[in-house]
Amino acid sequence: MQEFELFFNRSAVEIARDLIGASLCVDGIGGVIVETEAYMPDDPASHSFRGQTNRNRSMFGPAAHAYVYRSYGIHWCLNFVCLPASAVLIRAIQPVHGLAEMEERRRVSDPLLLCAGPGRVSQALGIDIRHDGLPLGMPPFELTIIREPALVVTDRRIGISKAVDHLWRFGLQDSVYLSKKFRSP
């Protein structure tokens, strides 16, 4: 467990890149992380930028815990807390385990649409506010970090209006499970 916490006790930008290729399951349902975004404390696009609130309290908690929030009042979004006030948004996974459950939750059968986007990831994995603040190293989470670096591409983050030039969106090169294609290097 200590090694796991050390992994998350670093910059969200480093962790967002290093999570590409990791395996994430929630109650046995999940797959391979293929897209992430980093959010830092001094980042005007981050929920933590203006300080701690009831909504973002988990971002200010210990590393290696979940930060779950509702986007646009509709979709739950799963983030992994890193250093205080920083987190990594899980934008897309390649579905591998529990496809039938994912299809039922999402009401779609196309594997390319099951987990392509942060709201879809949370819906497919059954993530909601009950997961906010839970440790990532214990059930219902099962996170396996890979030791070999994946082939990662970078781009601008999606759906933000501040700090738009940061190349803090990371994806698995040539993955068909991304939420949006990456611009050519």
Side-chain angles (χ1 to χ4, degrees):
M1 184 70 157
Q2 188 176 13
E3 183 180 334
F4 191 74
E5 289 172 358
L6 286 174
F7 175 85
F8 281 99
N9 200 15
R10 302 180 293 140
S11 162
V13 176
E14 293 174 28
I15 294 166
R17 175 183 287 279
D18 291 348
L19 282 170
I20 300 300
S23 173
L24 168 65
C25 288
V26 179
D27 289 323
I29 298 168
V32 177
I33 298 172
V34 296
E35 186 180 353
T36 60
E37 283 181 353
Y39 290 89
M40 300 290 286
D42 62 348
D43 171 10
S46 176
H47 290 176
S48 66
F49 185 69
R50 290 200 172 109
Q52 184 174 330
T53 65
N54 285 337
R55 180 186 188 213
N56 70 10
R57 181 174 303 149
S58 293
M59 274 188 87
F60 291 84
H65 282 68
Y67 164 49
V68 178
Y69 69 89
R70 188 165 269 204
S71 177
Y72 302 112
I74 301 169
H75 305 289
W76 294 108
C77 295
L78 174 62
N79 296 260
F80 294 169
V81 177
C82 309
L83 292 173
S86 65
V88 174
L89 172 65
I90 306 303
R91 285 203 54 86
I93 67 171
Q94 177 181 338
V96 177
H97 308 288
L99 294 173
E101 291 91 340
M102 288 186 200
E103 290 173 1
E104 184 177 323
R105 289 173 178 163
R106 292 267 308 115
R107 296 187 180 116
V108 296
S109 59
D110 183 347
L112 297 179
L113 298 177
L114 286 177
C115 302
R120 291 174 176 174
V121 167
S122 291
Q123 187 178 19
L125 300 184
I127 296 289
D128 61 30
I129 195 64
R130 295 171 295 167
H131 296 89
D132 186 47
L134 295 180
L136 299 172
M138 297 175 60
F141 293 103
E142 184 180 335
L143 181 63
T144 306
I145 310 297
I146 61 167
R147 302 258 181 230
E148 303 161 12
L151 295 175
V152 177
V153 292
T154 62
D155 204 346
R156 293 182 178 132
R157 295 175 294 183
I158 298 172
I160 59 171
S161 59
K162 298 174 183 172
V164 295
D165 290 329
H166 292 316
L167 299 177
W168 289 352
R169 177 174 164 240
F170 301 92
L172 183 62
Q173 184 176 317
D174 299 325
S175 175
V176 296
Y177 297 97
L178 302 171
S179 66
K180 183 178 177 183
K181 288 185 179 183
F182 281 66
R183 291 176 294 158
S184 298

